[in-house]
Amino acid sequence: MEFKMFRKLPIVLSFLSLGLVFTGCSSDDDEQPQTPGTETKGLEPGTDQRPSWQMPNFDNYELTMSVEVQLQDTLQPHASAQDLICATINGEVRGVASPTQVEGVWKFPLVIGSNEGNAAMSLSYYCENLHRIFTTEWTIFDATTEPMGTDGIYLPLFVN
């Protein structure tokens, strides 16, 4: 009977050593995974001056579109009350807004004017703390857009 027990011993030891190998291969606890939108690469201070974007006269436009734009997570730590956001159509300023902070998140209540629907818009963000202007091709003008939401037009991507 003792002999049979010793024959099984190598099998038992193999399973025990295999368990040690798997527990010894866990990932480093100090390493934090990078959440999309939180990287800060490329956010060095620049030399851009505060732009002189002026609020358009909405009486000149037949249509308006109102949206609350939330600044992406990457830029949130650099934002301040001195920042600006600007919507343009064909290079012409169609809306300008200053931010408000709601529960620690910077948002811009933006009204945009246009005489035509379906016009392509760009969005520019001036960050006072970084002295940088970030610009992105944004969305299509649509006066029926809901003021608040969670998709791309409400959370534009300025920094990849």
PDB file of all heavy atoms in Angstrom, residues 139-151:
ATOM      1  N   THR A 139     -19.259  68.130 -35.927  1.00  0.00           N
ATOM      2  CA  THR A 139     -20.525  67.493 -36.274  1.00  0.00           C
ATOM      3  C   THR A 139     -21.221  68.302 -37.366  1.00  0.00           C
ATOM      4  O   THR A 139     -20.678  69.286 -37.859  1.00  0.00           O
ATOM      5  CB  THR A 139     -21.450  67.356 -35.038  1.00  0.00           C
ATOM      6  OG1 THR A 139     -22.546  66.497 -35.348  1.00  0.00           O
ATOM      7  CG2 THR A 139     -21.947  68.701 -34.547  1.00  0.00           C
ATOM      8  N   ILE A 140     -22.396  67.902 -37.719  1.00  0.00           N
ATOM      9  CA  ILE A 140     -23.225  68.592 -38.703  1.00  0.00           C
ATOM     10  C   ILE A 140     -24.274  69.421 -37.957  1.00  0.00           C
ATOM     11  O   ILE A 140     -24.886  68.946 -36.996  1.00  0.00           O
ATOM     12  CB  ILE A 140     -23.937  67.565 -39.627  1.00  0.00           C
ATOM     13  CG1 ILE A 140     -22.916  66.683 -40.337  1.00  0.00           C
ATOM     14  CG2 ILE A 140     -24.866  68.261 -40.611  1.00  0.00           C
ATOM     15  CD1 ILE A 140     -21.980  67.418 -41.254  1.00  0.00           C
ATOM     16  N   PHE A 141     -24.482  70.652 -38.401  1.00  0.00           N
ATOM     17  CA  PHE A 141     -25.485  71.505 -37.769  1.00  0.00           C
ATOM     18  C   PHE A 141     -26.865  70.878 -37.925  1.00  0.00           C
ATOM     19  O   PHE A 141     -27.272  70.510 -39.024  1.00  0.00           O
ATOM     20  CB  PHE A 141     -25.488  72.904 -38.408  1.00  0.00           C
ATOM     21  CG  PHE A 141     -26.472  73.836 -37.760  1.00  0.00           C
ATOM     22  CD1 PHE A 141     -26.086  74.635 -36.700  1.00  0.00           C
ATOM     23  CD2 PHE A 141     -27.788  73.896 -38.190  1.00  0.00           C
ATOM     24  CE1 PHE A 141     -26.994  75.484 -36.079  1.00  0.00           C
ATOM     25  CE2 PHE A 141     -28.704  74.740 -37.579  1.00  0.00           C
ATOM     26  CZ  PHE A 141     -28.306  75.534 -36.521  1.00  0.00           C
ATOM     27  N   ASP A 142     -27.571  70.756 -36.802  1.00  0.00           N
ATOM     28  CA  ASP A 142     -28.919  70.203 -36.801  1.00  0.00           C
ATOM     29  C   ASP A 142     -29.700  70.879 -35.683  1.00  0.00           C
ATOM     30  O   ASP A 142     -29.472  70.602 -34.497  1.00  0.00           O
ATOM     31  CB  ASP A 142     -28.871  68.689 -36.587  1.00  0.00           C
ATOM     32  CG  ASP A 142     -30.249  68.049 -36.596  1.00  0.00           C
ATOM     33  OD1 ASP A 142     -31.261  68.757 -36.762  1.00  0.00           O
ATOM     34  OD2 ASP A 142     -30.311  66.813 -36.431  1.00  0.00           O
ATOM     35  N   ALA A 143     -30.607  71.764 -36.046  1.00  0.00           N
ATOM     36  CA  ALA A 143     -31.369  72.534 -35.058  1.00  0.00           C
ATOM     37  C   ALA A 143     -32.255  71.655 -34.177  1.00  0.00           C
ATOM     38  O   ALA A 143     -32.693  72.091 -33.117  1.00  0.00           O
ATOM     39  CB  ALA A 143     -32.218  73.583 -35.768  1.00  0.00           C
ATOM     40  N   THR A 144     -32.495  70.406 -34.570  1.00  0.00           N
ATOM     41  CA  THR A 144     -33.351  69.520 -33.772  1.00  0.00           C
ATOM     42  C   THR A 144     -32.564  68.709 -32.734  1.00  0.00           C
ATOM     43  O   THR A 144     -33.149  67.915 -32.007  1.00  0.00           O
ATOM     44  CB  THR A 144     -34.130  68.543 -34.679  1.00  0.00           C
ATOM     45  OG1 THR A 144     -33.202  67.675 -35.340  1.00  0.00           O
ATOM     46  CG2 THR A 144     -34.980  69.291 -35.689  1.00  0.00           C
ATOM     47  N   THR A 145     -31.265  68.924 -32.655  1.00  0.00           N
ATOM     48  CA  THR A 145     -30.428  68.196 -31.693  1.00  0.00           C
ATOM     49  C   THR A 145     -30.852  68.520 -30.263  1.00  0.00           C
ATOM     50  O   THR A 145     -31.098  69.678 -29.935  1.00  0.00           O
ATOM     51  CB  THR A 145     -28.944  68.562 -31.896  1.00  0.00           C
ATOM     52  OG1 THR A 145     -28.574  68.214 -33.225  1.00  0.00           O
ATOM     53  CG2 THR A 145     -28.046  67.843 -30.921  1.00  0.00           C
ATOM     54  N   GLU A 146     -30.904  67.495 -29.433  1.00  0.00           N
ATOM     55  CA  GLU A 146     -31.225  67.681 -28.015  1.00  0.00           C
ATOM     56  C   GLU A 146     -30.088  68.454 -27.340  1.00  0.00           C
ATOM     57  O   GLU A 146     -28.917  68.256 -27.670  1.00  0.00           O
ATOM     58  CB  GLU A 146     -31.388  66.325 -27.321  1.00  0.00           C
ATOM     59  CG  GLU A 146     -32.565  65.518 -27.826  1.00  0.00           C
ATOM     60  CD  GLU A 146     -33.905  66.118 -27.417  1.00  0.00           C
ATOM     61  OE1 GLU A 146     -34.011  66.649 -26.296  1.00  0.00           O
ATOM     62  OE2 GLU A 146     -34.836  66.066 -28.235  1.00  0.00           O
ATOM     63  N   PRO A 147     -30.397  69.322 -26.379  1.00  0.00           N
ATOM     64  CA  PRO A 147     -29.354  70.125 -25.721  1.00  0.00           C
ATOM     65  C   PRO A 147     -28.333  69.297 -24.945  1.00  0.00           C
ATOM     66  O   PRO A 147     -27.176  69.678 -24.868  1.00  0.00           O
ATOM     67  CB  PRO A 147     -30.127  71.035 -24.771  1.00  0.00           C
ATOM     68  CG  PRO A 147     -31.506  71.070 -25.317  1.00  0.00           C
ATOM     69  CD  PRO A 147     -31.732  69.747 -25.985  1.00  0.00           C
ATOM     70  N   MET A 148     -28.759  68.176 -24.370  1.00  0.00           N
ATOM     71  CA  MET A 148     -27.825  67.371 -23.576  1.00  0.00           C
ATOM     72  C   MET A 148     -27.870  65.927 -24.037  1.00  0.00           C
ATOM     73  O   MET A 148     -28.891  65.444 -24.505  1.00  0.00           O
ATOM     74  CB  MET A 148     -28.168  67.450 -22.100  1.00  0.00           C
ATOM     75  CG  MET A 148     -27.947  68.835 -21.529  1.00  0.00           C
ATOM     76  SD  MET A 148     -28.090  68.895 -19.756  1.00  0.00           S
ATOM     77  CE  MET A 148     -29.845  69.120 -19.561  1.00  0.00           C
ATOM     78  N   GLY A 149     -26.734  65.263 -23.889  1.00  0.00           N
ATOM     79  CA  GLY A 149     -26.642  63.870 -24.275  1.00  0.00           C
ATOM     80  C   GLY A 149     -25.288  63.310 -23.915  1.00  0.00           C
ATOM     81  O   GLY A 149     -24.506  63.944 -23.208  1.00  0.00           O
ATOM     82  N   THR A 150     -24.978  62.115 -24.421  1.00  0.00           N
ATOM     83  CA  THR A 150     -23.731  61.456 -24.049  1.00  0.00           C
ATOM     84  C   THR A 150     -22.901  60.999 -25.244  1.00  0.00           C
ATOM     85  O   THR A 150     -21.855  60.400 -25.061  1.00  0.00           O
ATOM     86  CB  THR A 150     -24.019  60.217 -23.176  1.00  0.00           C
ATOM     87  OG1 THR A 150     -24.896  59.337 -23.894  1.00  0.00           O
ATOM     88  CG2 THR A 150     -24.648  60.614 -21.852  1.00  0.00           C
ATOM     89  N   ASP A 151     -23.334  61.248 -26.478  1.00  0.00           N
ATOM     90  CA  ASP A 151     -22.540  60.744 -27.601  1.00  0.00           C
ATOM     91  C   ASP A 151     -21.487  61.753 -28.050  1.00  0.00           C
ATOM     92  O   ASP A 151     -21.208  62.730 -27.357  1.00  0.00           O
ATOM     93  CB  ASP A 151     -23.442  60.303 -28.764  1.00  0.00           C
ATOM     94  CG  ASP A 151     -24.172  61.448 -29.436  1.00  0.00           C
ATOM     95  OD1 ASP A 151     -23.904  62.613 -29.112  1.00  0.00           O
ATOM     96  OD2 ASP A 151     -25.021  61.166 -30.306  1.00  0.00           O
TER      97      ASP A 151
END
